[in-house]
Amino acid sequence: AQSVTQPDIHITVSEGASLELRCNYSYGATPYLFWYVQSPGQGLQLLLKYFSGDTLVQGIKGFEAEFKRSQSSFNLRKPSVHWSDAAEYFCAVGTIMIYNQGEKLIFGQGTELSVKP
Amino acid sequence: DGGITQSPKYLFRKEGQNVTLSCEQNLNHDAMYWYRQDPGQGLRLIYYSQIVNDFQKGDIAEGYSVSREKKESFPLTVTSAQKNPTAFYLCASSLPGREQYFGPGTRLTVT
């Protein structure tokens, strides 16, 4: 069965430090992969996505992620964290539904990021 | 501006009452989805609809019902049969085979 694991429930980093959030997935075919960010009480905002092609993908807000098939990973990175990056981050894998319409997303449990001044 | 709206933002109900959560999108997306979010459990799919007048159960459909009479609208009813209805509910939509976009969510509290 498809699954997504985010091993870190909570991470704290200092402002200006680099960040890496881990994501491992289990999926039988080439996955569609996503990272979303959620501020408290808000909906999810798409940070970046991987469908095919270049395994290093750039997203919004200075984030990037690298798809590593051999490790079944899609880790999110940012070289310098800002206080406004404090939020919850979700990794998701997309599975094609029948009729190739829409995606069923399977989410990890999320990683809460705190930023120290 | 195109987007997804969910109303209301907060909803309070007494146990035993059905309640309907609204989701509207003006993105011209074919597919729409309902997720439930509980602390520490990520998001779980309740129902999804790929085209008008058609919808399928997701992973946790028991105690919920939906309709898709218009492309723009996908309301979710939380029935009295749902044993733990208090949660944050998120609606999403997408084009075929593309990423999902989410609404701002509705927090439902049942006492």
Side-chain angles (χ1 to χ4, degrees), chain B residues 5-42:
Chain B
T5 57
Q6 292 186 244
S7 61
K9 188 169 179 64
Y10 300 97
L11 194 51
F12 299 89
R13 280 295 183 270
K14 296 290 187 186
E15 217 173 283
Q17 294 179 336
N18 292 353
V19 59
T20 297
L21 282 60
S22 168
C23 177
E24 304 276 333
Q25 55 98 1
N26 61 3
L27 300 168
N28 200 32
H29 286 174
D30 295 292
M32 296 187 74
Y33 315 80
W34 274 105
Y35 292 89
R36 171 183 172 135
Q37 185 177 24
D38 297 284
Q41 294 198 42

PDB file of all heavy atoms in Angstrom, chain B residues 5-42:
ATOM      1  N   THR B   5     -13.531  28.638  -1.865  1.00  0.00           N
ATOM      2  CA  THR B   5     -14.083  29.209  -0.646  1.00  0.00           C
ATOM      3  C   THR B   5     -14.799  28.128   0.137  1.00  0.00           C
ATOM      4  O   THR B   5     -15.477  27.255  -0.451  1.00  0.00           O
ATOM      5  CB  THR B   5     -15.051  30.368  -0.956  1.00  0.00           C
ATOM      6  OG1 THR B   5     -16.092  29.888  -1.821  1.00  0.00           O
ATOM      7  CG2 THR B   5     -14.330  31.506  -1.644  1.00  0.00           C
ATOM      8  N   GLN B   6     -14.633  28.185   1.435  1.00  0.00           N
ATOM      9  CA  GLN B   6     -15.328  27.288   2.338  1.00  0.00           C
ATOM     10  C   GLN B   6     -16.043  28.120   3.382  1.00  0.00           C
ATOM     11  O   GLN B   6     -15.468  29.078   3.913  1.00  0.00           O
ATOM     12  CB  GLN B   6     -14.340  26.338   3.041  1.00  0.00           C
ATOM     13  CG  GLN B   6     -13.698  25.327   2.118  1.00  0.00           C
ATOM     14  CD  GLN B   6     -12.856  24.340   2.887  1.00  0.00           C
ATOM     15  OE1 GLN B   6     -11.642  24.265   2.726  1.00  0.00           O
ATOM     16  NE2 GLN B   6     -13.498  23.567   3.742  1.00  0.00           N
ATOM     17  N   SER B   7     -17.260  27.752   3.647  1.00  0.00           N
ATOM     18  CA  SER B   7     -17.990  28.488   4.677  1.00  0.00           C
ATOM     19  C   SER B   7     -18.841  27.536   5.497  1.00  0.00           C
ATOM     20  O   SER B   7     -19.298  26.510   4.990  1.00  0.00           O
ATOM     21  CB  SER B   7     -18.873  29.565   4.015  1.00  0.00           C
ATOM     22  OG  SER B   7     -19.816  28.966   3.141  1.00  0.00           O
ATOM     23  N   PRO B   8     -19.042  27.881   6.779  1.00  0.00           N
ATOM     24  CA  PRO B   8     -18.393  28.976   7.485  1.00  0.00           C
ATOM     25  C   PRO B   8     -16.999  28.580   7.918  1.00  0.00           C
ATOM     26  O   PRO B   8     -16.599  27.427   7.759  1.00  0.00           O
ATOM     27  CB  PRO B   8     -19.309  29.180   8.692  1.00  0.00           C
ATOM     28  CG  PRO B   8     -19.822  27.803   8.979  1.00  0.00           C
ATOM     29  CD  PRO B   8     -19.977  27.130   7.653  1.00  0.00           C
ATOM     30  N   LYS B   9     -16.252  29.486   8.514  1.00  0.00           N
ATOM     31  CA  LYS B   9     -14.907  29.165   8.996  1.00  0.00           C
ATOM     32  C   LYS B   9     -14.996  28.346  10.286  1.00  0.00           C
ATOM     33  O   LYS B   9     -14.203  27.444  10.518  1.00  0.00           O
ATOM     34  CB  LYS B   9     -14.106  30.437   9.239  1.00  0.00           C
ATOM     35  CG  LYS B   9     -12.642  30.179   9.560  1.00  0.00           C
ATOM     36  CD  LYS B   9     -11.827  31.451   9.518  1.00  0.00           C
ATOM     37  CE  LYS B   9     -10.368  31.193   9.869  1.00  0.00           C
ATOM     38  NZ  LYS B   9      -9.721  30.329   8.876  1.00  0.00           N
ATOM     39  N   TYR B  10     -15.949  28.684  11.134  1.00  0.00           N
ATOM     40  CA  TYR B  10     -16.188  27.946  12.376  1.00  0.00           C
ATOM     41  C   TYR B  10     -17.656  27.535  12.415  1.00  0.00           C
ATOM     42  O   TYR B  10     -18.534  28.312  12.064  1.00  0.00           O
ATOM     43  CB  TYR B  10     -15.879  28.795  13.609  1.00  0.00           C
ATOM     44  CG  TYR B  10     -14.445  29.263  13.683  1.00  0.00           C
ATOM     45  CD1 TYR B  10     -14.083  30.522  13.236  1.00  0.00           C
ATOM     46  CD2 TYR B  10     -13.454  28.434  14.205  1.00  0.00           C
ATOM     47  CE1 TYR B  10     -12.764  30.949  13.304  1.00  0.00           C
ATOM     48  CE2 TYR B  10     -12.132  28.855  14.280  1.00  0.00           C
ATOM     49  CZ  TYR B  10     -11.802  30.113  13.816  1.00  0.00           C
ATOM     50  OH  TYR B  10     -10.503  30.532  13.880  1.00  0.00           O
ATOM     51  N   LEU B  11     -17.897  26.324  12.897  1.00  0.00           N
ATOM     52  CA  LEU B  11     -19.248  25.779  12.946  1.00  0.00           C
ATOM     53  C   LEU B  11     -19.409  24.991  14.232  1.00  0.00           C
ATOM     54  O   LEU B  11     -18.553  24.163  14.567  1.00  0.00           O
ATOM     55  CB  LEU B  11     -19.480  24.889  11.727  1.00  0.00           C
ATOM     56  CG  LEU B  11     -20.890  24.452  11.360  1.00  0.00           C
ATOM     57  CD1 LEU B  11     -21.829  25.647  11.301  1.00  0.00           C
ATOM     58  CD2 LEU B  11     -20.854  23.731  10.028  1.00  0.00           C
ATOM     59  N   PHE B  12     -20.491  25.258  14.927  1.00  0.00           N
ATOM     60  CA  PHE B  12     -20.761  24.562  16.178  1.00  0.00           C
ATOM     61  C   PHE B  12     -22.121  23.876  16.064  1.00  0.00           C
ATOM     62  O   PHE B  12     -23.088  24.483  15.619  1.00  0.00           O
ATOM     63  CB  PHE B  12     -20.765  25.547  17.355  1.00  0.00           C
ATOM     64  CG  PHE B  12     -19.456  26.237  17.544  1.00  0.00           C
ATOM     65  CD1 PHE B  12     -19.176  27.424  16.880  1.00  0.00           C
ATOM     66  CD2 PHE B  12     -18.489  25.696  18.380  1.00  0.00           C
ATOM     67  CE1 PHE B  12     -17.948  28.064  17.045  1.00  0.00           C
ATOM     68  CE2 PHE B  12     -17.266  26.332  18.559  1.00  0.00           C
ATOM     69  CZ  PHE B  12     -16.996  27.512  17.886  1.00  0.00           C
ATOM     70  N   ARG B  13     -22.156  22.619  16.481  1.00  0.00           N
ATOM     71  CA  ARG B  13     -23.409  21.862  16.420  1.00  0.00           C
ATOM     72  C   ARG B  13     -23.551  20.996  17.649  1.00  0.00           C
ATOM     73  O   ARG B  13     -22.552  20.641  18.296  1.00  0.00           O
ATOM     74  CB  ARG B  13     -23.436  20.973  15.175  1.00  0.00           C
ATOM     75  CG  ARG B  13     -23.801  21.676  13.903  1.00  0.00           C
ATOM     76  CD  ARG B  13     -25.222  22.192  13.903  1.00  0.00           C
ATOM     77  NE  ARG B  13     -25.599  22.814  12.651  1.00  0.00           N
ATOM     78  CZ  ARG B  13     -25.443  24.100  12.385  1.00  0.00           C
ATOM     79  NH1 ARG B  13     -24.896  24.894  13.279  1.00  0.00           N
ATOM     80  NH2 ARG B  13     -25.837  24.579  11.226  1.00  0.00           N
ATOM     81  N   LYS B  14     -24.786  20.656  17.954  1.00  0.00           N
ATOM     82  CA  LYS B  14     -25.069  19.703  19.016  1.00  0.00           C
ATOM     83  C   LYS B  14     -25.013  18.300  18.452  1.00  0.00           C
ATOM     84  O   LYS B  14     -25.330  18.063  17.270  1.00  0.00           O
ATOM     85  CB  LYS B  14     -26.465  19.968  19.594  1.00  0.00           C
ATOM     86  CG  LYS B  14     -26.621  21.312  20.280  1.00  0.00           C
ATOM     87  CD  LYS B  14     -25.845  21.342  21.568  1.00  0.00           C
ATOM     88  CE  LYS B  14     -26.127  22.611  22.353  1.00  0.00           C
ATOM     89  NZ  LYS B  14     -25.279  22.722  23.547  1.00  0.00           N
ATOM     90  N   GLU B  15     -24.647  17.392  19.313  1.00  0.00           N
ATOM     91  CA  GLU B  15     -24.613  15.981  18.922  1.00  0.00           C
ATOM     92  C   GLU B  15     -25.986  15.557  18.423  1.00  0.00           C
ATOM     93  O   GLU B  15     -27.008  15.978  18.960  1.00  0.00           O
ATOM     94  CB  GLU B  15     -24.234  15.145  20.153  1.00  0.00           C
ATOM     95  CG  GLU B  15     -23.344  13.965  19.848  1.00  0.00           C
ATOM     96  CD  GLU B  15     -22.878  13.306  21.123  1.00  0.00           C
ATOM     97  OE1 GLU B  15     -21.966  13.861  21.763  1.00  0.00           O
ATOM     98  OE2 GLU B  15     -23.439  12.266  21.474  1.00  0.00           O
ATOM     99  N   GLY B  16     -25.999  14.733  17.374  1.00  0.00           N
ATOM    100  CA  GLY B  16     -27.260  14.246  16.834  1.00  0.00           C
ATOM    101  C   GLY B  16     -27.797  15.053  15.681  1.00  0.00           C
ATOM    102  O   GLY B  16     -28.766  14.656  15.035  1.00  0.00           O
ATOM    103  N   GLN B  17     -27.201  16.203  15.411  1.00  0.00           N
ATOM    104  CA  GLN B  17     -27.642  17.051  14.309  1.00  0.00           C
ATOM    105  C   GLN B  17     -26.762  16.824  13.085  1.00  0.00           C
ATOM    106  O   GLN B  17     -25.546  16.674  13.205  1.00  0.00           O
ATOM    107  CB  GLN B  17     -27.570  18.528  14.695  1.00  0.00           C
ATOM    108  CG  GLN B  17     -28.521  18.949  15.793  1.00  0.00           C
ATOM    109  CD  GLN B  17     -28.375  20.418  16.149  1.00  0.00           C
ATOM    110  OE1 GLN B  17     -27.336  21.027  15.939  1.00  0.00           O
ATOM    111  NE2 GLN B  17     -29.440  20.994  16.694  1.00  0.00           N
ATOM    112  N   ASN B  18     -27.389  16.822  11.914  1.00  0.00           N
ATOM    113  CA  ASN B  18     -26.612  16.837  10.683  1.00  0.00           C
ATOM    114  C   ASN B  18     -26.148  18.269  10.405  1.00  0.00           C
ATOM    115  O   ASN B  18     -26.820  19.234  10.779  1.00  0.00           O
ATOM    116  CB  ASN B  18     -27.453  16.362   9.501  1.00  0.00           C
ATOM    117  CG  ASN B  18     -27.813  14.896   9.584  1.00  0.00           C
ATOM    118  OD1 ASN B  18     -27.340  14.177  10.459  1.00  0.00           O
ATOM    119  ND2 ASN B  18     -28.660  14.452   8.686  1.00  0.00           N
ATOM    120  N   VAL B  19     -25.024  18.404   9.734  1.00  0.00           N
ATOM    121  CA  VAL B  19     -24.516  19.735   9.391  1.00  0.00           C
ATOM    122  C   VAL B  19     -23.869  19.663   8.013  1.00  0.00           C
ATOM    123  O   VAL B  19     -23.218  18.673   7.678  1.00  0.00           O
ATOM    124  CB  VAL B  19     -23.518  20.237  10.459  1.00  0.00           C
ATOM    125  CG1 VAL B  19     -22.338  19.298  10.612  1.00  0.00           C
ATOM    126  CG2 VAL B  19     -23.049  21.639  10.161  1.00  0.00           C
ATOM    127  N   THR B  20     -24.067  20.719   7.222  1.00  0.00           N
ATOM    128  CA  THR B  20     -23.513  20.748   5.868  1.00  0.00           C
ATOM    129  C   THR B  20     -22.454  21.826   5.737  1.00  0.00           C
ATOM    130  O   THR B  20     -22.687  22.984   6.100  1.00  0.00           O
ATOM    131  CB  THR B  20     -24.622  20.992   4.827  1.00  0.00           C
ATOM    132  OG1 THR B  20     -25.539  19.896   4.870  1.00  0.00           O
ATOM    133  CG2 THR B  20     -24.027  21.067   3.417  1.00  0.00           C
ATOM    134  N   LEU B  21     -21.298  21.432   5.229  1.00  0.00           N
ATOM    135  CA  LEU B  21     -20.186  22.335   5.000  1.00  0.00           C
ATOM    136  C   LEU B  21     -20.140  22.682   3.514  1.00  0.00           C
ATOM    137  O   LEU B  21     -20.256  21.797   2.656  1.00  0.00           O
ATOM    138  CB  LEU B  21     -18.864  21.676   5.415  1.00  0.00           C
ATOM    139  CG  LEU B  21     -18.521  21.615   6.896  1.00  0.00           C
ATOM    140  CD1 LEU B  21     -19.562  20.854   7.698  1.00  0.00           C
ATOM    141  CD2 LEU B  21     -17.149  20.987   7.087  1.00  0.00           C
ATOM    142  N   SER B  22     -19.933  23.964   3.239  1.00  0.00           N
ATOM    143  CA  SER B  22     -19.957  24.442   1.864  1.00  0.00           C
ATOM    144  C   SER B  22     -18.550  24.487   1.281  1.00  0.00           C
ATOM    145  O   SER B  22     -17.584  24.817   1.971  1.00  0.00           O
ATOM    146  CB  SER B  22     -20.575  25.839   1.833  1.00  0.00           C
ATOM    147  OG  SER B  22     -20.379  26.452   0.587  1.00  0.00           O
ATOM    148  N   CYS B  23     -18.431  24.162  -0.002  1.00  0.00           N
ATOM    149  CA  CYS B  23     -17.183  24.311  -0.748  1.00  0.00           C
ATOM    150  C   CYS B  23     -17.518  24.755  -2.164  1.00  0.00           C
ATOM    151  O   CYS B  23     -18.282  24.073  -2.873  1.00  0.00           O
ATOM    152  CB  CYS B  23     -16.403  23.009  -0.785  1.00  0.00           C
ATOM    153  SG  CYS B  23     -14.889  23.131  -1.785  1.00  0.00           S
ATOM    154  N   GLU B  24     -16.974  25.895  -2.566  1.00  0.00           N
ATOM    155  CA  GLU B  24     -17.196  26.435  -3.908  1.00  0.00           C
ATOM    156  C   GLU B  24     -15.847  26.781  -4.530  1.00  0.00           C
ATOM    157  O   GLU B  24     -14.975  27.304  -3.853  1.00  0.00           O
ATOM    158  CB  GLU B  24     -18.045  27.712  -3.834  1.00  0.00           C
ATOM    159  CG  GLU B  24     -19.377  27.556  -3.139  1.00  0.00           C
ATOM    160  CD  GLU B  24     -20.464  27.040  -4.055  1.00  0.00           C
ATOM    161  OE1 GLU B  24     -20.376  27.265  -5.279  1.00  0.00           O
ATOM    162  OE2 GLU B  24     -21.419  26.414  -3.550  1.00  0.00           O
ATOM    163  N   GLN B  25     -15.724  26.496  -5.829  1.00  0.00           N
ATOM    164  CA  GLN B  25     -14.493  26.864  -6.530  1.00  0.00           C
ATOM    165  C   GLN B  25     -14.828  27.525  -7.868  1.00  0.00           C
ATOM    166  O   GLN B  25     -15.801  27.126  -8.526  1.00  0.00           O
ATOM    167  CB  GLN B  25     -13.574  25.645  -6.730  1.00  0.00           C
ATOM    168  CG  GLN B  25     -14.200  24.462  -7.424  1.00  0.00           C
ATOM    169  CD  GLN B  25     -13.904  24.349  -8.911  1.00  0.00           C
ATOM    170  OE1 GLN B  25     -13.184  25.169  -9.495  1.00  0.00           O
ATOM    171  NE2 GLN B  25     -14.473  23.315  -9.537  1.00  0.00           N
ATOM    172  N   ASN B  26     -14.025  28.509  -8.231  1.00  0.00           N
ATOM    173  CA  ASN B  26     -14.205  29.179  -9.520  1.00  0.00           C
ATOM    174  C   ASN B  26     -12.962  29.021 -10.382  1.00  0.00           C
ATOM    175  O   ASN B  26     -12.635  29.893 -11.179  1.00  0.00           O
ATOM    176  CB  ASN B  26     -14.573  30.649  -9.331  1.00  0.00           C
ATOM    177  CG  ASN B  26     -13.501  31.432  -8.592  1.00  0.00           C
ATOM    178  OD1 ASN B  26     -12.445  30.885  -8.264  1.00  0.00           O
ATOM    179  ND2 ASN B  26     -13.760  32.690  -8.316  1.00  0.00           N
ATOM    180  N   LEU B  27     -12.281  27.898 -10.192  1.00  0.00           N
ATOM    181  CA  LEU B  27     -11.061  27.599 -10.944  1.00  0.00           C
ATOM    182  C   LEU B  27     -11.341  26.766 -12.181  1.00  0.00           C
ATOM    183  O   LEU B  27     -10.414  26.410 -12.907  1.00  0.00           O
ATOM    184  CB  LEU B  27     -10.081  26.847 -10.024  1.00  0.00           C
ATOM    185  CG  LEU B  27      -9.648  27.616  -8.765  1.00  0.00           C
ATOM    186  CD1 LEU B  27      -8.930  26.683  -7.787  1.00  0.00           C
ATOM    187  CD2 LEU B  27      -8.748  28.779  -9.159  1.00  0.00           C
ATOM    188  N   ASN B  28     -12.592  26.418 -12.389  1.00  0.00           N
ATOM    189  CA  ASN B  28     -12.996  25.549 -13.500  1.00  0.00           C
ATOM    190  C   ASN B  28     -12.335  24.165 -13.411  1.00  0.00           C
ATOM    191  O   ASN B  28     -12.030  23.546 -14.433  1.00  0.00           O
ATOM    192  CB  ASN B  28     -12.687  26.201 -14.853  1.00  0.00           C
ATOM    193  CG  ASN B  28     -13.511  25.579 -15.972  1.00  0.00           C
ATOM    194  OD1 ASN B  28     -14.647  25.148 -15.759  1.00  0.00           O
ATOM    195  ND2 ASN B  28     -12.951  25.515 -17.168  1.00  0.00           N
ATOM    196  N   HIS B  29     -12.121  23.706 -12.185  1.00  0.00           N
ATOM    197  CA  HIS B  29     -11.534  22.385 -11.983  1.00  0.00           C
ATOM    198  C   HIS B  29     -12.596  21.309 -12.050  1.00  0.00           C
ATOM    199  O   HIS B  29     -13.715  21.483 -11.571  1.00  0.00           O
ATOM    200  CB  HIS B  29     -10.838  22.329 -10.616  1.00  0.00           C
ATOM    201  CG  HIS B  29      -9.559  23.077 -10.574  1.00  0.00           C
ATOM    202  ND1 HIS B  29      -8.839  23.258  -9.399  1.00  0.00           N
ATOM    203  CD2 HIS B  29      -8.845  23.696 -11.543  1.00  0.00           C
ATOM    204  CE1 HIS B  29      -7.745  23.950  -9.658  1.00  0.00           C
ATOM    205  NE2 HIS B  29      -7.729  24.236 -10.948  1.00  0.00           N
ATOM    206  N   ASP B  30     -12.221  20.176 -12.642  1.00  0.00           N
ATOM    207  CA  ASP B  30     -13.168  19.073 -12.740  1.00  0.00           C
ATOM    208  C   ASP B  30     -13.274  18.286 -11.440  1.00  0.00           C
ATOM    209  O   ASP B  30     -14.346  17.844 -11.061  1.00  0.00           O
ATOM    210  CB  ASP B  30     -12.739  18.115 -13.863  1.00  0.00           C
ATOM    211  CG  ASP B  30     -12.795  18.771 -15.214  1.00  0.00           C
ATOM    212  OD1 ASP B  30     -13.915  19.073 -15.659  1.00  0.00           O
ATOM    213  OD2 ASP B  30     -11.737  18.984 -15.827  1.00  0.00           O
ATOM    214  N   ALA B  31     -12.150  18.079 -10.782  1.00  0.00           N
ATOM    215  CA  ALA B  31     -12.117  17.213  -9.605  1.00  0.00           C
ATOM    216  C   ALA B  31     -12.189  18.031  -8.321  1.00  0.00           C
ATOM    217  O   ALA B  31     -11.587  19.111  -8.216  1.00  0.00           O
ATOM    218  CB  ALA B  31     -10.849  16.367  -9.610  1.00  0.00           C
ATOM    219  N   MET B  32     -12.945  17.514  -7.362  1.00  0.00           N
ATOM    220  CA  MET B  32     -13.031  18.139  -6.041  1.00  0.00           C
ATOM    221  C   MET B  32     -12.926  17.067  -4.970  1.00  0.00           C
ATOM    222  O   MET B  32     -13.281  15.898  -5.208  1.00  0.00           O
ATOM    223  CB  MET B  32     -14.327  18.940  -5.897  1.00  0.00           C
ATOM    224  CG  MET B  32     -14.407  20.120  -6.874  1.00  0.00           C
ATOM    225  SD  MET B  32     -15.820  21.195  -6.608  1.00  0.00           S
ATOM    226  CE  MET B  32     -15.324  22.072  -5.120  1.00  0.00           C
ATOM    227  N   TYR B  33     -12.453  17.485  -3.791  1.00  0.00           N
ATOM    228  CA  TYR B  33     -12.122  16.536  -2.734  1.00  0.00           C
ATOM    229  C   TYR B  33     -12.509  17.112  -1.376  1.00  0.00           C
ATOM    230  O   TYR B  33     -12.467  18.325  -1.170  1.00  0.00           O
ATOM    231  CB  TYR B  33     -10.614  16.257  -2.710  1.00  0.00           C
ATOM    232  CG  TYR B  33      -9.981  16.005  -4.051  1.00  0.00           C
ATOM    233  CD1 TYR B  33      -9.651  17.068  -4.889  1.00  0.00           C
ATOM    234  CD2 TYR B  33      -9.692  14.714  -4.475  1.00  0.00           C
ATOM    235  CE1 TYR B  33      -9.057  16.845  -6.127  1.00  0.00           C
ATOM    236  CE2 TYR B  33      -9.095  14.481  -5.706  1.00  0.00           C
ATOM    237  CZ  TYR B  33      -8.790  15.551  -6.524  1.00  0.00           C
ATOM    238  OH  TYR B  33      -8.202  15.324  -7.752  1.00  0.00           O
ATOM    239  N   TRP B  34     -12.794  16.212  -0.447  1.00  0.00           N
ATOM    240  CA  TRP B  34     -12.964  16.587   0.956  1.00  0.00           C
ATOM    241  C   TRP B  34     -11.998  15.773   1.808  1.00  0.00           C
ATOM    242  O   TRP B  34     -11.913  14.539   1.679  1.00  0.00           O
ATOM    243  CB  TRP B  34     -14.381  16.332   1.447  1.00  0.00           C
ATOM    244  CG  TRP B  34     -15.322  17.461   1.182  1.00  0.00           C
ATOM    245  CD1 TRP B  34     -16.297  17.515   0.236  1.00  0.00           C
ATOM    246  CD2 TRP B  34     -15.392  18.695   1.899  1.00  0.00           C
ATOM    247  NE1 TRP B  34     -16.963  18.714   0.308  1.00  0.00           N
ATOM    248  CE2 TRP B  34     -16.422  19.461   1.329  1.00  0.00           C
ATOM    249  CE3 TRP B  34     -14.676  19.242   2.981  1.00  0.00           C
ATOM    250  CZ2 TRP B  34     -16.771  20.720   1.785  1.00  0.00           C
ATOM    251  CZ3 TRP B  34     -15.018  20.503   3.430  1.00  0.00           C
ATOM    252  CH2 TRP B  34     -16.054  21.237   2.834  1.00  0.00           C
ATOM    253  N   TYR B  35     -11.279  16.505   2.686  1.00  0.00           N
ATOM    254  CA  TYR B  35     -10.350  15.874   3.621  1.00  0.00           C
ATOM    255  C   TYR B  35     -10.750  16.250   5.043  1.00  0.00           C
ATOM    256  O   TYR B  35     -11.288  17.320   5.311  1.00  0.00           O
ATOM    257  CB  TYR B  35      -8.916  16.366   3.399  1.00  0.00           C
ATOM    258  CG  TYR B  35      -8.297  15.936   2.101  1.00  0.00           C
ATOM    259  CD1 TYR B  35      -8.433  16.707   0.955  1.00  0.00           C
ATOM    260  CD2 TYR B  35      -7.551  14.766   2.024  1.00  0.00           C
ATOM    261  CE1 TYR B  35      -7.848  16.318  -0.238  1.00  0.00           C
ATOM    262  CE2 TYR B  35      -6.961  14.368   0.840  1.00  0.00           C
ATOM    263  CZ  TYR B  35      -7.122  15.150  -0.289  1.00  0.00           C
ATOM    264  OH  TYR B  35      -6.537  14.764  -1.465  1.00  0.00           O
ATOM    265  N   ARG B  36     -10.373  15.363   5.935  1.00  0.00           N
ATOM    266  CA  ARG B  36     -10.514  15.634   7.367  1.00  0.00           C
ATOM    267  C   ARG B  36      -9.108  15.691   7.963  1.00  0.00           C
ATOM    268  O   ARG B  36      -8.245  14.863   7.621  1.00  0.00           O
ATOM    269  CB  ARG B  36     -11.316  14.515   8.011  1.00  0.00           C
ATOM    270  CG  ARG B  36     -11.340  14.560   9.513  1.00  0.00           C
ATOM    271  CD  ARG B  36     -12.090  13.399  10.107  1.00  0.00           C
ATOM    272  NE  ARG B  36     -11.914  13.400  11.548  1.00  0.00           N
ATOM    273  CZ  ARG B  36     -12.896  13.214  12.416  1.00  0.00           C
ATOM    274  NH1 ARG B  36     -14.144  12.952  11.987  1.00  0.00           N
ATOM    275  NH2 ARG B  36     -12.670  13.235  13.709  1.00  0.00           N
ATOM    276  N   GLN B  37      -8.871  16.672   8.843  1.00  0.00           N
ATOM    277  CA  GLN B  37      -7.575  16.803   9.481  1.00  0.00           C
ATOM    278  C   GLN B  37      -7.755  16.762  10.992  1.00  0.00           C
ATOM    279  O   GLN B  37      -8.523  17.537  11.565  1.00  0.00           O
ATOM    280  CB  GLN B  37      -6.889  18.112   9.075  1.00  0.00           C
ATOM    281  CG  GLN B  37      -5.485  18.246   9.619  1.00  0.00           C
ATOM    282  CD  GLN B  37      -4.788  19.496   9.151  1.00  0.00           C
ATOM    283  OE1 GLN B  37      -5.407  20.482   8.797  1.00  0.00           O
ATOM    284  NE2 GLN B  37      -3.465  19.463   9.122  1.00  0.00           N
ATOM    285  N   ASP B  38      -7.050  15.845  11.627  1.00  0.00           N
ATOM    286  CA  ASP B  38      -7.004  15.735  13.075  1.00  0.00           C
ATOM    287  C   ASP B  38      -5.559  15.911  13.514  1.00  0.00           C
ATOM    288  O   ASP B  38      -4.637  15.547  12.770  1.00  0.00           O
ATOM    289  CB  ASP B  38      -7.518  14.366  13.533  1.00  0.00           C
ATOM    290  CG  ASP B  38      -8.970  14.155  13.179  1.00  0.00           C
ATOM    291  OD1 ASP B  38      -9.816  14.736  13.875  1.00  0.00           O
ATOM    292  OD2 ASP B  38      -9.271  13.428  12.209  1.00  0.00           O
ATOM    293  N   PRO B  39      -5.330  16.441  14.695  1.00  0.00           N
ATOM    294  CA  PRO B  39      -3.947  16.667  15.161  1.00  0.00           C
ATOM    295  C   PRO B  39      -3.128  15.392  15.109  1.00  0.00           C
ATOM    296  O   PRO B  39      -3.572  14.333  15.582  1.00  0.00           O
ATOM    297  CB  PRO B  39      -4.146  17.148  16.605  1.00  0.00           C
ATOM    298  CG  PRO B  39      -5.519  17.726  16.621  1.00  0.00           C
ATOM    299  CD  PRO B  39      -6.330  16.898  15.679  1.00  0.00           C
ATOM    300  N   GLY B  40      -1.950  15.493  14.531  1.00  0.00           N
ATOM    301  CA  GLY B  40      -1.023  14.364  14.497  1.00  0.00           C
ATOM    302  C   GLY B  40      -1.384  13.268  13.514  1.00  0.00           C
ATOM    303  O   GLY B  40      -0.719  12.238  13.485  1.00  0.00           O
ATOM    304  N   GLN B  41      -2.414  13.482  12.691  1.00  0.00           N
ATOM    305  CA  GLN B  41      -2.828  12.426  11.761  1.00  0.00           C
ATOM    306  C   GLN B  41      -2.787  12.863  10.305  1.00  0.00           C
ATOM    307  O   GLN B  41      -3.274  12.163   9.441  1.00  0.00           O
ATOM    308  CB  GLN B  41      -4.229  11.941  12.098  1.00  0.00           C
ATOM    309  CG  GLN B  41      -4.326  11.237  13.424  1.00  0.00           C
ATOM    310  CD  GLN B  41      -5.598  10.411  13.527  1.00  0.00           C
ATOM    311  OE1 GLN B  41      -5.996   9.744  12.574  1.00  0.00           O
ATOM    312  NE2 GLN B  41      -6.242  10.460  14.672  1.00  0.00           N
ATOM    313  N   GLY B  42      -2.251  14.009  10.007  1.00  0.00           N
ATOM    314  CA  GLY B  42      -2.232  14.440   8.620  1.00  0.00           C
ATOM    315  C   GLY B  42      -3.633  14.628   8.092  1.00  0.00           C
ATOM    316  O   GLY B  42      -4.576  14.882   8.837  1.00  0.00           O
TER     317      GLY B  42
END
